[in-house]
Amino acid sequence: IFIAIASYRDWQCSFTVESAFSRAKHPERIRIGVVDQIRFGEDKSCSIPPGGTCDQNHDQATCRHRSQIDYLTIEAELSVGPVFARHLGHRLYRGEYFAVQSDAHVVFVKDWDEDIIRQWYQAHNEMAILSTYLSGVEDHIDLETGQRISKSRPIMCSSDYEGVGDAKHLRHGQQPEGVPMIHEPVLDPFWAAGFSFGRGHFVVNVPYDQHLPWIFQGEEISLGLRGFSYGYDFYSPEKSVCYHYYGRQGVPMFWENVNTYRGSGSLGMNRLNAIIGMLPARDRDKPWIRTDAVKYGLGKARDVKRFFEVFGIHVESQTVEKHLCRFVGRPMQMEFKPYMRQNGMGLDYNRITYRFVDKWKNEK
């Protein structure tokens, strides 16, 4: 399993790396690539384990498996946002069978590697990507033992347009969480950047676009739609294998570089929406970065227009059909699962005639 972690001046990065190895059933099968953006002389490097250097405390999982970690350490002042950092992280991939993307401030459960692989195989889909917004550590995991103390998990189903002008984009909001009624990964429409697990070819076929400066909120619909166009299907795991630290105070963010790269965000957002077919007709003459547009473009397995039709996204009016979460879950699983290709290479959307329409418009 390859794990890509992009960290921006994050003191918990080394704890995340330590957790991934120490909680794994087979740590010898884990490899991690860290893009560590720090201010030299001010921030602690992610390469220094939580318990001190390996010379000081060699009996740390990070030290025992140091040869399985690649650190790319760069100056935080050069950061143009998480998309480019994650692009660099994916370039550290070296052909591992499975690939994970994780935030830099998470904690893993005991035997997480064996657990997530088992869940992936339950989907019976070579193109399955298990991805979700992570639950917080509070009331979900025993931090001492790594055991789950909650059966609830989020499901990816809520998204809407936000922003104005060039900054308008589709953003996934806070996702509903509950105890799963289906004991297998559940199909959903959306991909999440904070946790993603699937075959390594996802990283190869759908690489992070390095020409999206200053993008933060739009990266998920970009990767998700590009993945859809290459034939990938997204699932919420039945069981979470890691949990997120929310509500952290005083942690620096890449926004502190805003004056250095002012104005580049509009070009990046226009490119993002143009490539995935989400620029309305009225905006298609706006300038955007066209470098490598084919390399980081859409695949040919599926037309993204089918995605918009199926899940009620209206590009021209920049609106969505509300209450999609009432369909995602058991109804979507029952509706779409029969269209799995016999060779296990994803859902055949050419046979899916379902179109989501909001039947609850008078409700909040």
Side-chain angles (χ1 to χ4, degrees):
I1 300 175
F2 170 72
I3 307 176
I5 299 173
S7 173
Y8 185 85
R9 306 189 63 192
D10 196 328
W11 65 271
Q12 287 182 294
C13 177
S14 63
F15 290 84
T16 298
V17 173
E18 179 73 12
S19 173
F21 281 116
S22 65
R23 295 277 171 77
K25 178 79 170 180
H26 298 285
E28 72 279 4
R29 301 177 188 174
I30 307 296
R31 187 175 154 269
I32 299 180
V34 179
V35 178
D36 193 20
Q37 303 163 100
I38 62 172
R39 285 190 178 177
F40 291 93
E42 183 176 344
D43 300 327
K44 178 185 175 183
S45 171
C46 187
S47 63
I48 301 176
T53 67
C54 292
D55 289 337
Q56 297 169 328
N57 182 4
H58 60 84
D59 193 26
Q60 298 178 82
T62 302
C63 300
R64 294 195 301 272
H65 301 281
R66 180 61 184 84
S67 64
Q68 297 161 233
I69 314 171
D70 285 320
Y71 295 99
L72 176 60
T73 306
I74 58 180
E75 296 175 339
E77 293 85 348
L78 301 178
S79 175
V80 291
V83 173
F84 185 65
R86 285 172 171 152
H87 164 84
L88 294 176
H90 281 192
R91 290 179 72 166
L92 297 174
Y93 172 73
R94 293 295 181 268
E96 288 81 5
Y97 197 81
F98 291 110
V100 173
Q101 179 168 295
S102 167
D103 279 344
H105 35 275
V106 306
V107 59
F108 288 83
V109 303
K110 189 176 185 299
D111 298 341
W112 69 269
D113 50 336
E114 188 176 71
D115 194 336
I116 196 65
I117 290 173
R118 178 190 57 78
Q119 292 188 65
W120 183 86
Y121 276 110
Q122 282 185 308
H124 303 288
N125 183 355
E126 174 71 14
M127 308 300 281
I129 303 296
L130 278 56
S131 182
T132 189
Y133 284 174
L134 298 175
S135 302
V137 296
E138 297 81 5
D139 301 321
H140 285 94
I141 183 173
D142 183 323
L143 293 174
E144 293 297 322
T145 66
Q147 298 292 342
R148 297 185 194 91
I149 55 176
S150 171
K151 294 183 179 180
S152 69
R153 57 92 177 96
I155 190 168
M156 296 293 293
C157 61
S158 177
S159 193
D160 203 349
Y161 280 90
E162 74 168 18
V164 295
D166 291 345
K168 197 163 188 178
H169 62 280
L170 197 68
R171 179 194 176 189
H172 309 330
Q174 183 175 357
Q175 305 301 317
E177 182 173 328
V179 177
M181 303 298 292
I182 302 174
H183 300 297
E184 62 183 0
V186 177
L187 284 161
D188 61 45
F190 304 122
W191 178 83
F195 179 79
S196 174
F197 176 91
R199 283 295 312 279
H201 51 65
F202 181 66
V203 174
V204 177
N205 291 329
V206 195
Y208 256 88
D209 186 347
Q210 65 175 313
H211 304 292
L212 293 179
W214 224 245
I215 296 299
F216 181 60
Q217 303 294 3
E219 66 171 298
E220 293 174 321
I221 191 62
S222 172
L223 258 292
L225 277 174
R226 288 173 57 214
F228 173 87
S229 74
Y230 274 89
Y232 291 95
D233 299 307
F234 305 114
Y235 296 76
S236 291
E238 179 198 352
K239 298 178 181 179
S240 297
V241 297
C242 57
Y243 295 94
H244 192 280
Y245 285 95
Y246 292 104
R248 304 186 305 159
Q249 302 296 319
V251 179
M253 300 288 286
F254 74 95
W255 303 111
E256 62 188 359
N257 300 331
V258 64
N259 291 327
T260 305
Y261 304 104
R262 189 174 297 279
S264 60
S266 294
L267 295 175
M269 187 59 75
N270 286 345
R271 172 188 174 90
L272 184 153
N273 282 324
I275 285 178
I276 60 177
M278 295 196 74
L279 270 184
R282 64 181 181 274
D283 294 335
R284 288 173 192 162
D285 291 332
K286 289 185 176 181
W288 55 279
I289 305 166
R290 298 176 183 268
T291 306
D292 294 331
V294 174
K295 180 178 181 179
Y296 299 112
L298 299 175
K300 297 181 180 180
R302 299 172 182 153
D303 191 329
V304 294
K305 292 179 181 178
R306 181 62 58 88
F307 183 92
F308 302 145
E309 293 170 355
V310 171
F311 297 110
I313 298 170
H314 309 297
V315 173
E316 291 303 319
S317 63
Q318 293 187 305
T319 59
V320 302
E321 297 288 325
K322 308 288 188 180
H323 299 106
L324 181 59
C325 290
R326 298 197 179 186
F327 171 65
V328 177
R330 184 184 293 272
M332 181 175 173
Q333 193 87 342
M334 299 297 290
E335 180 74 32
F336 285 19
K337 198 172 178 180
Y339 299 106
M340 179 64 61
R341 299 179 189 276
Q342 290 187 352
N343 62 2
M345 293 296 291
L347 296 171
D348 185 354
Y349 270 81
N350 289 327
R351 296 169 54 213
I352 294 176
T353 59
Y354 179 86
R355 302 292 182 268
F356 178 76
V357 177
D358 184 5
K359 302 175 183 178
W360 306 273
K361 293 183 178 181
N362 295 326
E363 300 181 25
K364 291 183 179 181

